[in-house]
């Protein structure tokens, strides 16, 4: 297979990949190039793919081993590594994660885990005509551009990431949100991560944030913690650091969780359905 073609997407990060078919086995050189390009661009968009669940898992393994999500009721039967992302309801019950019309929450996948996730791969099967974009923020370039005094302040600070806190915040906004079971809550105790992390492969630093999943910054009172987090989020999600992806059927978007964060956009589930499948590599 010849080398695919790649074009940058946004001012600081992101690229679109052309001339590649991910539905069959990949040559080692192509797999190595995808890994290198993801490290360079942090988000890769591959359009016009026709992937089975087996294909999705195989492509994911280019980057590592996919995990099994804690909310196993949303994983695909027979494919525990694939979680359903959807706003579709059947008999009044959501079939996937992020079921609400306005569930916007900047985050990094699985930051509630002690071992951070590395790469996520999201594949579109039903794309809405209106809304439902996924927005990505370049937390690496955002860190590079921090004012010197703010960079000095956040280096060395740690934050508590709590999936229980996240679900409590989401339930306050969306009473229909499917809660964690007691067994699931027991599997996700609070964890502490640095506010600034260093990428294990590129060596670059980035901000590790989360609008709802962070309970507090260690060592700061509630007001000071909230104020600092608000300032960092406003900086990291400024327009110059954001790429907004409008989904089409067959899109596969691959992103580096160690260097970005992302959020869904509003989508009226009564008029516009969205269905995607995600794997996340640890």
């Amino acid at each position: 297979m010849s080398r695919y073609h790649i074009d940058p997407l946004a001012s600081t990060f992101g690229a679109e990949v052309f001339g590649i078919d991910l539905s069959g086995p990949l040559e080692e050189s192509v797999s190595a190039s995808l890994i290198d390009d993801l490290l360079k661009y942090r988000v890769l968009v591959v359009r016009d793919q026709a992937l089975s669940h087996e294909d999705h898992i195989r492509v994911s393994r280019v980057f590592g081993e996919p995990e099994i999500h804690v909310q196993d009721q949303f994983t695909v039967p027979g494919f525990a590594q694939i979680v359903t992302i959807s706003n579709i309801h059947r008999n009044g019950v959501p079939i996937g994660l992020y079921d609400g019309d306005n569930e916007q929450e900047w985050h990094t996948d699985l930051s509630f885990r002690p071992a951070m996730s590395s790469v996520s791969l999201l594949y579109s099967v039903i794309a809405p005509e209106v809304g439902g974009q996924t927005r990505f923020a370049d937390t690496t370039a955002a860190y590079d551009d921090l004012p010197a005094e703010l960079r000095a302040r956040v280096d060395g600070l740690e934050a508590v990431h709590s999936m229980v806190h996240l679900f409590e915040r989401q339930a306050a906004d969306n009473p229909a949100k499917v809660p964690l079971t007691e067994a699931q809550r027991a599997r996700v105790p609070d964890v502490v991560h640095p506010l600034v992390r260093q990428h294990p492969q590129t060596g670059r630093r980035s901000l590790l944030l989360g609008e709802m999943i962070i309970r507090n910054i260690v060592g700061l009172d509630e007001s000071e913690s909230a104020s600092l987090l608000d300032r960092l989020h406003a900086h990291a999600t400024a327009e110059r650091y954001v790429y907004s992806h409008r989904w089409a059927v067959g899109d596969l978007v691959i992103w580096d969780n160690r260097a970005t964060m992302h959020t869904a956009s509003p989508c009226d589930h009564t008029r516009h359905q969205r269905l995607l499948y995600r794997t996340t590599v640890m």
Side-chain angles (χ1 to χ4, degrees):
M1 176 180 178
S2 61
R3 178 69 161 83
Y4 54 79
H5 174 65
I6 198 163
D7 282 342
L9 277 170
S11 59
T12 67
F13 76 132
E16 189 166 355
V17 177
F18 301 92
I20 190 170
D21 180 359
L22 298 175
S23 65
L26 298 176
E27 297 175 6
E28 288 187 11
S29 61
V30 174
S31 296
S33 292
L34 284 172
I35 293 169
D36 289 344
D37 284 329
L38 183 63
L39 292 174
K40 178 180 179 180
Y41 291 103
R42 300 187 279 289
V43 174
L44 299 179
V45 174
V46 192
R47 298 188 184 273
D48 301 319
Q49 300 298 301
L51 303 181
S52 66
H53 293 319
E54 291 90 348
D55 295 333
H56 192 164
I57 292 173
R58 178 179 41 74
V59 174
S60 302
R61 285 182 170 143
V62 168
F63 304 95
E65 185 59 33
E67 63 88 43
I68 296 174
H69 199 275
V70 65
Q71 287 186 284
D72 48 14
Q73 73 268 37
F74 295 130
T75 57
V76 175
F79 299 92
Q81 304 95 328
I82 301 177
V83 64
T84 303
I85 308 292
S86 182
N87 68 352
I88 298 172
H89 292 62
R90 290 180 183 154
N91 300 319
V93 178
I95 68 169
L97 295 174
Y98 307 109
D99 62 294
D101 295 334
N102 294 295
E103 286 198 26
Q104 300 177 82
E105 179 240 340
W106 286 102
H107 64 284
T108 295
D109 286 339
L110 308 187
S111 72
F112 57 85
R113 294 281 184 85
M116 295 294 298
S117 61
S118 56
V119 177
S120 291
L121 301 91
L122 189 57
Y123 177 62
S124 174
V125 177
I126 299 175
E129 293 182 5
V130 178
Q133 302 97 317
T134 299
R135 291 179 290 154
F136 296 90
D138 185 352
T139 53
T140 305
Y143 173 80
D144 290 343
D145 293 345
L146 283 175
E149 54 84 16
L150 185 54
R151 188 183 306 168
R153 185 182 181 194
V154 300
D155 281 338
L157 288 180
E158 295 179 316
V160 177
H161 290 242
S162 171
M163 192 171 184
V164 172
H165 179 68
L166 166 66
F167 269 71
E168 290 171 349
R169 291 279 304 274
Q170 290 177 330
D173 295 335
N174 176 18
K177 179 73 176 178
V178 178
L180 294 173
T181 66
E182 287 303 316
Q184 289 169 341
R185 290 168 70 99
R187 289 164 54 192
V188 288
D190 291 359
V191 297
V192 175
H193 292 303
L195 269 181
V196 177
R197 56 182 167 176
Q198 186 171 22
H199 197 289
Q201 290 168 276
T202 68
R204 297 187 66 182
R205 293 179 178 273
S206 65
L207 294 167
L208 175 53
L209 302 171
E211 282 184 304
M212 292 186 179
I213 201 165
I214 291 181
R215 188 185 294 278
N216 63 281
I217 297 175
V218 177
L220 302 186
D221 64 35
E222 183 176 351
S223 175
E224 187 179 11
S225 175
S227 176
L228 180 54
L229 289 170
D230 286 346
R231 184 179 179 188
L232 292 172
H233 273 106
H235 171 75
T237 59
E239 184 177 352
R240 62 188 176 276
Y241 305 123
V242 173
Y243 163 69
S244 183
H245 183 72
R246 178 170 292 282
W247 291 95
V249 172
D251 286 356
L252 177 71
V253 179
I254 308 168
W255 65 90
D256 190 337
N257 281 301
R258 300 160 297 184
T260 64
M261 63 179 175
H262 60 281
T263 183
S265 298
C267 185
D268 182 353
H269 80 276
T270 65
R271 300 175 60 203
H272 304 288
Q273 293 186 338
R274 68 195 299 260
L275 173 62
L276 309 99
Y277 294 112
R278 190 192 75 194
T279 55
T280 302
V281 172
M282 301 304 290

